[in-house]
Amino acid sequence: TEVGLSDGAGLEHHVWQLAGVGAHQVNRIEVHQERDSTYSAHTMTLGSGWVRNDLGVCLDGPGAECHLKGLYLLGDGQHVDNHTSIHHKAPNCTSRELYKGVLAGRSRGVFNGRIVVYKDAQRSDSDQGNHNLLLSESARVDTKPQLEIFADDVKAAHGTTVGQLDAQALFYMQSRGISRDQAMRILTGAFAREIVEDLSEGPLREFGVRLINQQLMELQKEQGE
């Protein structure tokens, strides 16, 4: 898929993968943005046996802005690769990137996010994060955020986390009469739903939340078997 945004244009782009576990998918999206354009992407992988998502964004015009959000909810035997690249080629551009994963069973997730700030891209502002919850000891995630900065006047940050649900938070909720399964569902749901809660379209946001809740229930059921 190729996306070209001219001066002042805006696009909200959704890639939601809901195929069965026997499906395999590879997709690549290339985006080029001109002056003061805005691109918002939501990539959600809630099914399929093996998926690779490649997303490349070039901020070619001053004042261009991109927002990349991704979510992968993986059950036993599922695998997803997310590879993103953002190229700040013009001054005064902004990029925001947040990918989250919830992995159960013997699933595997990969995140590789690369941000390059070119020499002429002064006053760039970039932030990147990848955060993962592992619901089983067999789940695995490989995460590699990257920043390459060749300009002097830049604001940039990146970070990644991999862990399990907070034991103290679970204990607190159980002490208030909430079952462990329900507490896990509440905490995991709050973690995952951040990716869709800022969607501009109400019906689409509600549909996304419904899909996420259904998939999380399946993952929790899988963990209990």
Side-chain angles (χ1 to χ4, degrees):
T1 304
E2 294 184 9
V3 177
L5 298 176
S6 59
D7 293 357
L11 175 66
E12 188 173 290
H13 189 193
H14 301 272
V15 181
W16 293 9
Q17 294 144 339
L18 312 173
V21 293
H24 294 67
Q25 182 175 4
V26 178
N27 75 82
R28 182 168 183 83
I29 301 169
E30 291 285 352
V31 183
H32 292 272
Q33 297 183 237
E34 298 300 334
R35 180 185 295 270
D36 297 325
S37 61
T38 302
Y39 175 75
S40 298
H42 289 78
T43 304
M44 294 209 304
T45 303
L46 308 181
S48 302
W50 189 92
V51 176
R52 172 160 176 150
N53 299 309
D54 288 348
L55 174 56
V57 179
C58 288
L59 303 173
D60 294 319
E65 185 174 332
C66 73
H67 300 261
L68 312 184
K69 284 196 170 184
L71 177 66
Y72 41 101
L73 308 180
L74 307 180
D76 192 50
Q78 291 182 290
H79 180 117
V80 62
D81 280 12
N82 286 299
H83 294 260
T84 68
S85 62
I86 302 174
H87 296 266
H88 285 253
K89 294 186 175 182
N92 299 302
C93 292
T94 301
S95 65
R96 296 287 182 267
E97 181 175 12
L98 176 61
Y99 273 64
K100 286 189 169 187
V102 179
L103 297 88
R106 293 183 301 275
S107 60
R108 182 179 179 187
V110 176
F111 174 81
N112 181 209
R114 180 171 177 244
I115 297 174
V116 183
V117 180
Y118 289 72
K119 182 178 178 180
D120 295 331
Q122 301 296 338
R123 297 173 300 282
S124 292
D125 185 353
S126 180
D127 187 82
Q128 179 191 73
N130 174 232
H131 306 295
N132 300 274
L133 276 179
L134 304 183
L135 301 184
S136 78
E137 294 182 357
S138 301
R140 175 181 169 185
V141 62
D142 299 309
T143 176
K144 185 181 179 183
Q146 296 175 263
L147 278 176
E148 299 176 28
I149 301 173
F150 301 97
D152 299 323
D153 186 3
V154 173
K155 180 180 178 182
H158 70 297
T160 182
T161 58
V162 179
Q164 299 175 330
L165 289 172
D166 188 337
Q168 290 186 341
L170 284 172
F171 177 79
Y172 175 82
M173 296 178 75
Q174 289 178 272
S175 70
R176 296 299 185 269
I178 300 173
S179 70
R180 181 176 177 83
D181 286 347
Q182 187 178 4
M184 290 180 65
R185 192 157 53 247
I186 291 171
L187 292 173
T188 307
F191 173 83
R193 283 193 296 271
E194 181 184 358
I195 298 299
V196 297
E197 286 178 342
D198 66 339
L199 292 181
S200 60
E201 293 293 332
L204 187 62
R205 182 172 58 249
E206 293 170 7
F207 179 59
V209 170
R210 219 166 37 240
L211 288 175
I212 290 171
N213 289 339
Q214 291 172 1
Q215 181 69 1
L216 290 177
M217 288 182 67
E218 290 298 318
L219 294 184
Q220 192 171 26
K221 187 188 304 181
E222 181 181 292
Q223 288 299 110
E225 293 177 352

